[in-house]
Amino acid sequence: MDQHLISTVNRLQDAFATLGPTTNPIDLPQITVVGSQSSGKSSVLENIVGRDFLPRGTGIVTRRPLVLQLINRPKGKANGTAGESSEGDEWGEFLHLPGQKIYDFGKIREEIVRETESKTGKNAGISANPINLRIFSPNVLTLTLVDLPGLTKVPVGDQPKDIERQIREMVLKYITKPNAIILAVTAANTDLANSDGLKLAREVDPEGTRTIGVLTKVDLMDQGTDVVDILAGRVIPLRLGYVPVINRGQRDIEQGKAISSALEHERDFFENHPSYRAKAQYCGTPFLARKLNMILMHHIKATLPDIKQRIQSTLSKYQLELAQLGDNTLGTPSNIVLNVITEFCNEYRTILDGNSQELSSLELSGGARISFVFHELYSNGVKSVDPFDQVKDVDIRTILYNSSGSSPALFVGTTAFEVIVKQQIKRFEDPSLKCVTLVYDELVRILSQVLQKPIFKRYPVLKERLLSVVIQFFKQSLIPTNKLVQDLVSMEAAYINTGHPDFLSGHRAMAIVSERMQASKPVQVDPKTGKPLPVAQKDPMSPVTIGGVGASEENGGFFNSFFATKNKKKMAMMEAPPAVLKASGVLSERETAETEVIKLLISSYFNIVKRTMIDMVPKAIMLNLVIFSKDEMQRELLEKLYKSDVLEDLLKESDFTVNRRKEVQKMVDSLQTASEIVTGVN
């Protein structure tokens, strides 16, 4: 059963092999071999297999990850294709050469070189695309190992200048995964603290819980030194411990020394060495293979439930994406376009009305944003319009004089009031038209939101045409909307309704101003009694004071201030008035009162117009833009897009959709295969 677990993971690796290392959706348990160049990684693997099959040479020999699946197969079960010799009991199979059994391990080495160069060329480039090799043998324990390129620091020969970074990033992709057991290979005759493999392993596994150390070249250590302290965990402790091994030297390899002889030499070394003989059964390649087999099986047992769950959840996710990308055939072009237009218009309406199934709790959207424009932005914008930030008291005084003509006015002139009010009402046109623009922007925003649907990613031409038609439709709707809003402002300015029930009457305004002015005058007190002295009540608005402009104000008023600057001789000369004659000087009591009355009347009427604009402009925009777009958009789209001669062009799928559908389909197929593999495995 335990061997079956490892073979299950091997089958899962095969199922995902075509996806590549970066797109593999499931983190599978595997043993990844890391170490610096010439640390003995390849020799360790060959010793575990018992065969020479890995490329040899200087520099980077392993330039692609090698996923090595060792499968224990008892003798005499090789399907008899090569007889029942010992040679026929061992063979290799490459995933990229399905059905081909290679009994010559020299040819396996040649195929690894050939397949490596097919992806990386003959120079020293590397590739993260793995080579999958299965070795069937009665002499191996069932294991899955991933041999990675050796860590290097200085580029040599044709190697890329950033070779160190490239190899480091590739190795990290494999060992960062939580389900990867890290086999860190280090030469025992170097300082363990300088081990590149251990250093990289500590980065992703700082506690050392999933790292096992392998110490090579133990026989090459200086006389009197050993690795006992390292094995005891007193140098750099690892939860899974260390295993010392002895590999063949370069001369042994060149002379063709058999691995079986090398393993015999290894056993003799540990059994006879004074430092290791007491623990010889825990040293050497056979023990390393058994330990790795045990670690891998326990690891698979622990992670299998999570793998099953992840396969199912990932499969559901990709099946959903595949459904969204759509089948290659959804019906006739006319049906598809009709359905897309109908769905688009329905979605547009639901977002506007707030009936969407995807209502956000994080931000306002759709119709709620339009409401915000009306009741917050536009309302506050209109309320902030103050007539008196443009019309000062001196302006009112000038208009009063101008409106009375050549005869001094007897009463407060309504002409001045109307002139000022009409001028100020026109100021509502800018914020009202700005409101139309803001609502238009919100409709375009809703349009963009609807066009985020997956169906439009699939048909980019249809999306662009739909976007173009709807934007043009909105712009056409803007014309009557702006006209109606401008007419509303013009209507208010065309007729000043002083009979409005909320308008402050002239008499009431005069009374209010009179009361204010009397209240502001200082009260004279009798010095003997301390009581206020009676004062002759003089109403600034009474007919007596309005007998003529400045008639009773010898020291105040516009005309007196004008002549006060001239001496009597100049007065007698009666010089012509200046080219520009402005009302200046200190206002008389009567002029102050008149100005205040006009200001009160302007404020009263202006507030009435403000309330009307805040009420009517949103209604105009809703009528001619928002509601109109809801009611007429589908008719417009059908008229512009539902034409037999353009349907085929509209439904041209994007390259992204076509490619993504292939990718997702491949992913779904792999996950379905993986699901079948793990079903029933406990």
Side-chain angles (χ1 to χ4, degrees):
M1 178 60 196
D2 289 342
Q3 302 300 324
H4 179 58
L5 285 176
I6 297 179
S7 67
T8 298
V9 172
N10 287 347
R11 290 166 64 202
L12 288 175
Q13 282 180 324
D14 290 349
F16 294 126
T18 56
L19 302 176
T22 56
T23 53
N24 191 334
I26 307 297
D27 175 16
L28 294 174
Q30 57 191 11
I31 298 172
T32 52
V33 185
V34 296
S36 58
Q37 277 184 37
S38 72
S39 61
K41 291 192 297 90
S42 296
S43 295
V44 169
L45 293 177
E46 287 187 333
N47 282 3
I48 289 174
V49 175
R51 288 285 197 150
D52 287 311
F53 69 98
L54 291 174
R56 295 284 179 176
T58 57
I60 305 175
V61 179
T62 306
R63 294 191 283 134
R64 285 176 62 183
L66 176 68
V67 179
L68 182 61
Q69 299 174 354
L70 306 182
I71 298 164
N72 179 271
R73 189 178 186 87
K75 287 186 180 181
K77 293 191 176 181
N79 299 333
T81 52
E84 298 300 326
S85 69
S86 61
E87 287 293 319
D89 288 324
E90 294 183 280
W91 73 91
E93 292 179 6
F94 286 96
L95 194 66
H96 63 272
L97 300 174
Q100 289 190 33
K101 293 181 179 179
I102 304 175
Y103 293 91
D104 183 346
F105 279 75
K107 289 184 178 178
I108 290 177
R109 181 190 301 115
E110 291 171 8
E111 180 57 31
I112 292 173
V113 172
R114 192 197 64 75
E115 181 63 14
T116 298
E117 290 180 353
S118 72
K119 287 285 189 294
T120 63
K122 293 196 175 184
N123 61 13
I126 63 169
S127 166
N129 203 17
I131 298 172
N132 284 61
L133 170 63
R134 281 182 174 182
I135 291 180
F136 297 83
S137 170
N139 304 318
V140 299
L141 286 173
T142 302
L143 263 182
T144 301
L145 300 152
V146 182
D147 186 22
L148 297 169
L151 299 166
T152 184
K153 293 189 180 300
V154 181
V156 177
D158 293 335
Q159 291 177 0
K161 291 184 179 177
D162 62 340
I163 190 71
E164 180 186 4
R165 180 190 60 79
Q166 286 187 31
I167 294 177
R168 177 185 168 83
E169 287 178 359
M170 182 198 298
V171 172
L172 282 173
K173 272 180 190 172
Y174 279 89
I175 67 173
T176 303
K177 297 173 181 177
N179 281 350
I181 300 293
I182 304 169
L183 186 67
V185 180
T186 305
N189 59 351
T190 60
D191 189 350
L192 196 66
N194 294 327
S195 167
D196 293 329
L198 276 176
K199 181 184 176 186
L200 208 56
R202 290 294 286 269
E203 285 185 29
V204 296
D205 180 32
E207 301 297 320
T209 55
R210 55 186 179 90
T211 303
I212 178 171
V214 175
L215 301 171
T216 61
K217 306 181 183 179
V218 178
D219 55 332
L220 302 181
M221 295 181 71
D222 292 339
Q223 191 76 25
T225 61
D226 55 44
V227 290
V228 172
D229 283 347
I230 296 173
L231 298 179
R234 290 192 284 268
V235 181
I236 298 176
L238 296 175
R239 186 79 57 85
L240 300 177
Y242 293 85
V243 178
V245 298
I246 294 174
N247 301 329
R248 292 176 299 168
Q250 190 62 36
R251 181 177 296 176
D252 294 335
I253 295 169
E254 290 170 358
Q255 292 176 353
K257 183 177 181 180
I259 290 180
S260 57
S261 300
L263 293 175
E264 187 71 28
H265 167 70
E266 181 186 54
R267 192 179 80 241
D268 290 344
F269 176 85
F270 286 119
E271 286 180 352
N272 298 314
H273 194 286
S275 299
Y276 307 117
R277 60 188 171 200
K279 298 281 186 181
Q281 69 268 36
Y282 302 116
C283 303
T285 303
F287 172 71
L288 174 63
R290 290 195 302 274
K291 183 165 185 171
L292 291 178
N293 176 264
M294 190 83 65
I295 288 170
L296 187 58
M297 284 190 297
H298 283 303
H299 191 48
I300 292 171
K301 272 184 181 177
T303 57
L304 197 58
D306 179 57
I307 289 172
K308 285 183 179 180
Q309 188 272 327
R310 287 191 63 187
I311 287 173
Q312 290 306 320
S313 62
T314 311
L315 178 59
S316 299
K317 184 184 84 171
Y318 281 105
Q319 283 175 331
L320 179 63
E321 185 180 353
L322 189 61
Q324 289 175 339
L325 288 168
D327 200 343
N328 288 326
T329 55
L330 287 176
T332 62
S334 58
N335 282 347
I336 297 172
V337 172
L338 184 60
N339 288 337
V340 169
I341 290 174
T342 305
E343 185 180 334
F344 171 82
C345 294
N346 289 340
E347 185 68 16
Y348 176 77
R349 292 189 195 103
T350 56
I351 292 176
L352 261 181
D353 296 337
N355 297 327
S356 174
Q357 298 299 312
E358 301 170 8
L359 288 178
S360 171
S361 60
L362 303 176
E363 61 174 348
L364 295 181
S365 63
R369 291 180 64 92
I370 293 175
S371 177
F372 179 83
V373 170
F374 287 155
H375 303 298
E376 292 293 332
L377 301 182
Y378 179 64
S379 177
N380 290 332
V382 168
K383 287 174 183 175
S384 67
V385 178
D386 180 7
F388 303 116
D389 60 5
Q390 289 190 0
V391 181
K392 307 300 181 188
D393 287 2
V394 66
D395 302 317
I396 296 174
R397 183 183 180 194
T398 302
I399 291 174
L400 280 172
Y401 279 120
N402 287 336
S403 64
S404 63
S406 57
S407 301
L410 293 174
F411 301 101
V412 175
T414 57
T415 305
F417 160 72
E418 286 200 6
V419 167
I420 295 171
V421 165
K422 285 181 178 181
Q423 284 177 352
Q424 295 306 304
I425 286 175
K426 284 291 184 183
R427 291 176 63 192
F428 289 127
E429 188 170 294
D430 283 345
S432 299
L433 292 175
K434 176 71 172 173
C435 183
V436 177
T437 303
L438 290 173
V439 173
Y440 167 83
D441 291 342
E442 291 305 321
L443 294 183
V444 174
R445 186 188 181 97
I446 294 172
L447 169 64
S448 301
Q449 185 179 339
V450 178
L451 291 178
Q452 295 303 314
K453 296 283 183 181
I455 189 74
F456 297 110
K457 193 175 284 188
R458 180 177 180 184
Y459 300 121
V461 179
L462 178 57
K463 177 182 177 179
E464 288 303 315
R465 285 288 294 126
L466 205 146
L467 177 67
S468 171
V469 169
V470 174
I471 292 290
Q472 191 58 37
F473 175 66
F474 285 159
K475 287 180 177 177
Q476 288 173 351
S477 304
L478 273 182
I479 299 169
T481 307
N482 285 335
K483 177 70 168 59
L484 182 54
V485 167
Q486 287 170 323
D487 286 348
L488 282 173
V489 178
S490 298
M491 283 160 51
E492 290 295 332
Y495 178 61
I496 307 302
N497 182 17
T498 53
H500 195 284
D502 295 336
F503 182 58
L504 184 68
S505 68
H507 292 295
R508 177 68 187 135
M510 289 179 182
I512 291 170
V513 170
S514 182
E515 288 172 14
R516 286 178 185 169
M517 294 185 72
Q518 291 297 335
S520 64
K521 287 182 178 178
V523 179
Q524 293 183 341
V525 180
D526 187 335
K528 293 181 180 179
T529 63
K531 293 181 180 180
L533 291 172
V535 288
Q537 294 295 323
K538 182 180 178 184
D539 188 348
M541 302 305 295
S542 66
V544 177
T545 60
I546 311 180
V549 179
S552 60
E553 307 281 349
E554 291 185 3
N555 298 318
F558 162 48
F559 294 120
N560 280 347
S561 67
F562 178 72
F563 288 116
T565 60
K566 301 176 180 292
N567 55 38
K568 287 188 178 181
K569 187 180 289 186
K570 285 190 176 182
M571 286 180 177
M573 291 174 64
M574 290 182 61
E575 292 178 357
V580 178
L581 186 59
K582 295 184 178 179
S584 58
V586 181
L587 273 70
S588 66
E589 188 176 346
R590 173 186 173 281
E591 288 172 333
T592 301
E594 283 184 341
T595 302
E596 289 303 316
V597 168
I598 292 290
K599 287 170 74 174
L600 266 181
L601 296 177
I602 290 171
S603 292
S604 174
Y605 197 80
F606 212 64
N607 287 333
I608 292 170
V609 178
K610 280 182 181 179
R611 290 196 296 272
T612 304
M613 299 308 293
I614 289 171
D615 182 48
M616 293 303 294
V617 167
K619 291 178 178 177
I621 296 172
M622 287 299 293
L623 174 69
N624 275 6
L625 185 58
V626 180
I627 303 298
F628 181 76
S629 68
K630 277 173 61 178
D631 294 344
E632 298 297 323
M633 185 180 290
Q634 189 160 357
R635 177 197 57 75
E636 182 77 9
L637 287 172
L638 289 172
E639 184 181 312
K640 297 287 172 61
L641 299 182
Y642 197 61
K643 298 175 180 177
S644 57
D645 55 332
V646 297
L647 292 177
E648 290 287 347
D649 293 336
L650 290 177
L651 295 181
K652 186 179 179 183
E653 287 190 327
S654 66
D655 293 339
F656 167 82
T657 301
V658 174
N659 295 332
R660 185 60 182 164
R661 187 188 290 113
K662 289 177 184 175
E663 291 171 9
V664 174
Q665 185 64 61
K666 189 187 289 186
M667 191 73 77
V668 167
D669 292 343
S670 296
L671 287 164
Q672 284 175 337
T673 304
S675 181
E676 292 168 9
I677 291 169
V678 297
T679 301
V681 178
N682 297 316

